[in-house]
Amino acid sequence: MDRILVATDFSPRSDRALRRASLIASRVGASLTLVHVVDGDQTQRLVELEREGASAVLADTAATLRASDGIAAEWIVEVDDVDAGILLSAEKISADLIVIGPQRSRFRDFFVGTTAERVLKRSTRPLLVAIGMPSAPHRSTLLALDFDEASKAAGRAALAMGIFDHTDVVVMHAFDAPAAGMMRQSMQPPADIADYEQSQRADAGEELRALLSELGLPSTCQTVVSLKGSPARAILETANNADSSLIMLGTNQREGFERALIGSVTADVVRDAQRDVLIIPVDEPV
């Protein structure tokens, strides 16, 4: 990972993103580009005033990063819609990672239409939503894997980015035991239901180990959890139990990002997480 783009609107949320991006850049030796997007839907006079003010702040911040943290830092001011400006800047510098702060509202119903949601929909580059307080580098990463091509591609991309080089890794898969509900309704003995669920767990574990071997991912820290409730809930609970500071997800762009994001596992995790979430979009058919 060589180039990181961090978006800022100079709010405390953006300060969180900048701090996280700085920690990552220092850890992996990447350069950092700060971008601020000026709303172009206003008078030219206001655009120029905002551009001038933003340029001064960004120049000072980049200079501080270079002098104090030893990070190669540059800056860009775009005039555009916020999400479009962020994505355009990412294209200009060929960013390996985009870092943004959390959505303004933490309430479920207000995720639609936020910058995070719009960037998630359109980004073809890895996106880190900096949700947790960035007091230290990520110490543990939870990688949520399914057995589809999107997960495989995301795992390969994460390896190429060096995501696992600097943290402990927990790889999880949430399995479903579809017949368990019917067995309970038909009053099957609890021992039979438990045996069935255990067999499903064992099968999922074997499949997960094969996938880790195929991808070359570490197999020492893996967990298979029963899917009770939504996949997002399983991911968030596992991250909490493992005390992971970063959740990594792969999302199929062709199938998922062109749809409304609300209702997807990715959106549910980002919306409800209390820790950072890294989304790696992949252009692979499910």
Side-chain angles (χ1 to χ4, degrees), residues 20-284:
R20 175 55 67 194
S22 301
L23 288 170
I24 296 172
S26 295
R27 199 169 195 178
V28 304
S31 65
L32 197 61
T33 299
L34 291 70
V35 59
H36 175 76
V37 183
V38 175
D39 183 6
D41 188 20
Q42 53 186 335
T43 66
Q44 187 62 32
R45 174 61 176 163
L46 287 176
V47 166
E48 291 304 322
L49 285 173
E50 289 191 25
R51 189 206 296 267
E52 182 180 343
S55 297
V57 174
L58 292 177
D60 286 346
T61 304
T64 299
L65 288 169
R66 291 192 293 266
S68 300
D69 299 314
I71 298 173
E74 302 296 337
W75 55 272
I76 300 173
V77 175
E78 297 285 0
V79 179
D80 209 328
D81 294 330
V82 175
D83 53 310
I86 291 170
L87 295 171
L88 176 61
S89 296
E91 292 295 322
K92 285 181 177 179
I93 70 166
S94 299
D96 299 302
L97 176 67
I98 301 170
V99 183
I100 64 176
Q103 58 269 18
R104 187 178 303 276
S105 173
R106 301 293 294 156
F107 292 101
R108 171 175 294 268
D109 293 341
F110 291 101
F111 185 74
V112 179
T114 63
T115 298
E117 192 265 349
R118 293 193 299 269
V119 173
L120 276 170
K121 265 187 165 183
R122 299 175 54 194
S123 179
T124 60
R125 301 175 185 275
L127 174 69
L128 175 65
V129 185
I131 298 171
M133 295 304 297
S135 58
H138 293 128
R139 62 188 179 277
S140 176
T141 298
L142 176 71
L143 171 60
L145 284 180
D146 285 327
F147 302 133
D148 58 19
E149 289 302 318
S151 279
K152 292 179 182 180
R156 295 187 188 100
L159 279 172
M161 292 173 65
I163 295 298
F164 307 124
D165 295 346
H166 303 280
T167 73
D168 295 330
V169 181
V170 176
V171 183
M172 70 158 289
H173 170 69
F175 75 94
D176 194 11
M182 295 178 59
M183 292 175 73
R184 291 188 182 92
Q185 290 179 4
S186 61
M187 305 298 290
Q188 293 287 324
D192 291 349
I193 299 174
D195 287 345
Y196 165 70
E197 290 183 335
Q198 184 56 39
S199 71
Q200 295 295 106
R201 181 185 297 273
D203 290 345
E206 182 176 346
E207 194 169 359
L208 180 59
R209 285 189 292 274
L211 177 58
L212 296 180
S213 177
E214 175 187 345
L215 298 178
L217 289 167
S219 60
T220 53
C221 296
Q222 56 182 299
T223 182
V224 177
V225 300
S226 178
L227 182 57
K228 297 178 179 178
S230 70
R233 177 181 174 185
I235 291 168
L236 293 170
E237 288 183 351
T238 303
N240 185 58
N241 293 336
D243 196 25
S244 299
S245 54
L246 176 66
I247 299 172
M248 205 213 85
L249 302 168
T251 301
N252 185 280
Q253 185 190 11
R254 183 180 302 165
E255 296 295 331
F257 282 8
E258 295 302 319
R259 299 192 304 248
L261 190 61
I262 287 304
S264 73
V265 174
T266 301
D268 288 344
V269 170
V270 172
R271 183 170 49 206
D272 295 333
Q274 300 300 316
R275 58 202 75 225
D276 293 358
V277 181
L278 172 63
I279 304 101
I280 298 184
V282 293
D283 191 13
E284 293 281 349

